[in-house]
């Protein structure tokens, strides 16, 4: 049986419903993430995400350019992974955005210990300075607001990572999250890009 396409008016009704669902999920998951990170004892905070576990290291080819992120408040920290991969001989990169409507690019990150090569970007996030060379990471560690155990991701809502991954197929995309950010399912749209795996302090989901 051939299913006729939805009338455009019905499509318009469905899209806001998904957007509203995502907005409500983001609100609740950001609170859960914030509360969880704030309640971690200092001795625990100092240990989580310090070094990628063996199965994650196995997903990073020798010599690959590794893209990470400068964690915002309460996000899963990525600085320990940055230091580890630099010491292992990898070139590092962080996302850089010139303005809200621009495509995200990655620039080399040369000082994961002192972060002297970073400056505040237009979105209020630290990023490599404008003169840093642009590169294409083969492996990308990605922040998440929420995730499912089969690799679906809820991001901040700007679509930067979804667009980047759609334009660079084959990139290994590894989400980093607290365990409290896991949900049973997420509302999905055509542009939502899945992750290769998700890493939390207690387990690894995937590779998918």
């Amino acid at each position: 049986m051939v299913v006729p396409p939805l009338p455009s008016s019905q499509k318009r009704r469905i899209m806001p419903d998904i957007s509203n669902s995502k907005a409500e999920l983001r609100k609740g998951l950001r609170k859960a993430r914030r509360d969880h990170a704030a309640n971690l004892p200092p001795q625990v905070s100092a240990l989580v995400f310090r070094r990628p576990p063996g199965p994650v290291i196995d997903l990073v080819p020798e010599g690959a350019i590794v893209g990470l992120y400068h964690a915002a408040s309460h996000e899963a920290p990525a600085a320990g992974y940055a230091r580890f991969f630099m010491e292992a001989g990898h070139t590092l990169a962080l996302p850089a955005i010139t303005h809200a409507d621009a495509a995200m690019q990655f620039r080399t990150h040369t000082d994961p210990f002192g972060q002297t090569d970073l400056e505040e970007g237009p979105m209020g996030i630290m990023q490599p300075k404008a003169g840093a060379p642009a590169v294409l990471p083969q492996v990308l560690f990605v922040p998440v607001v929420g995730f499912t155990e089969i690799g679906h991701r809820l991001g901040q809502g700007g679509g930067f990572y979804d667009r980047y991954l759609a334009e660079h197929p084959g990139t290994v995309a590894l989400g980093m999250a607290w365990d409290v950010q896991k949900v049973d399912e997420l509302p999905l749209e055509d542009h939502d890009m899945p992750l290769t795996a998700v890493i939390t302090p207690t387990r690894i989901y995937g590779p998918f």
Side-chain angles (χ1 to χ4, degrees):
M1 179 179 67
V2 177
V3 180
L6 290 174
S8 58
S9 59
Q10 189 170 347
K11 288 181 182 178
R12 287 194 294 271
R13 288 198 299 273
I14 291 173
M15 292 304 294
D17 287 345
I18 294 178
S19 297
N20 291 338
S21 296
K22 285 184 171 181
E24 286 300 313
L25 276 169
R26 284 190 186 97
K27 182 178 178 180
L29 287 167
R30 282 175 179 143
K31 183 181 186 305
R33 180 179 67 182
R34 181 174 64 249
D35 293 346
H36 176 77
N39 290 326
L40 280 178
Q43 61 270 29
V44 175
S45 296
L47 294 175
V48 293
F49 296 111
R50 288 192 68 183
R51 184 184 191 278
V56 173
I57 296 172
D58 291 342
L59 294 172
V60 181
E62 185 175 352
I65 298 173
V66 177
L68 299 114
Y69 60 94
H70 190 277
S73 179
H74 312 306
E75 284 183 333
Y81 281 26
R83 292 189 287 267
F84 171 85
F85 284 114
M86 169 156 279
E87 290 181 333
H90 292 271
T91 297
L92 305 185
L94 292 181
I97 298 169
T98 55
H99 56 83
D101 297 326
M104 180 173 66
Q105 65 171 198
F106 282 83
R107 298 178 188 156
T108 54
H109 177 31
T110 57
D111 184 15
F113 295 91
Q115 301 187 349
T116 57
D117 63 322
L118 304 183
E119 63 184 6
E120 186 173 326
M123 310 292 286
I125 299 172
M126 299 301 289
Q127 63 184 40
K129 294 177 181 178
V135 292
L136 296 177
Q138 289 85 46
V139 179
L140 202 54
F141 288 88
V142 180
V144 305
V145 174
F147 71 95
T148 71
E149 63 181 12
I150 58 173
H152 295 146
R153 169 185 176 268
L154 181 69
Q156 294 286 6
F160 291 104
Y161 279 97
D162 287 321
R163 290 192 293 273
Y164 183 88
L165 291 171
E167 292 169 2
H168 300 87
T171 303
V172 176
L174 306 173
M176 295 180 68
W178 305 109
D179 292 283
V180 296
Q181 294 174 251
K182 178 179 171 293
V183 295
D184 291 334
E185 60 182 5
L186 289 169
L188 298 176
E189 300 175 81
D190 290 343
H191 63 259
D192 290 326
M193 300 297 293
L195 298 166
T196 305
V198 181
I199 308 137
T200 77
T202 64
R203 65 174 291 184
I204 300 167
Y205 297 86
F208 307 110

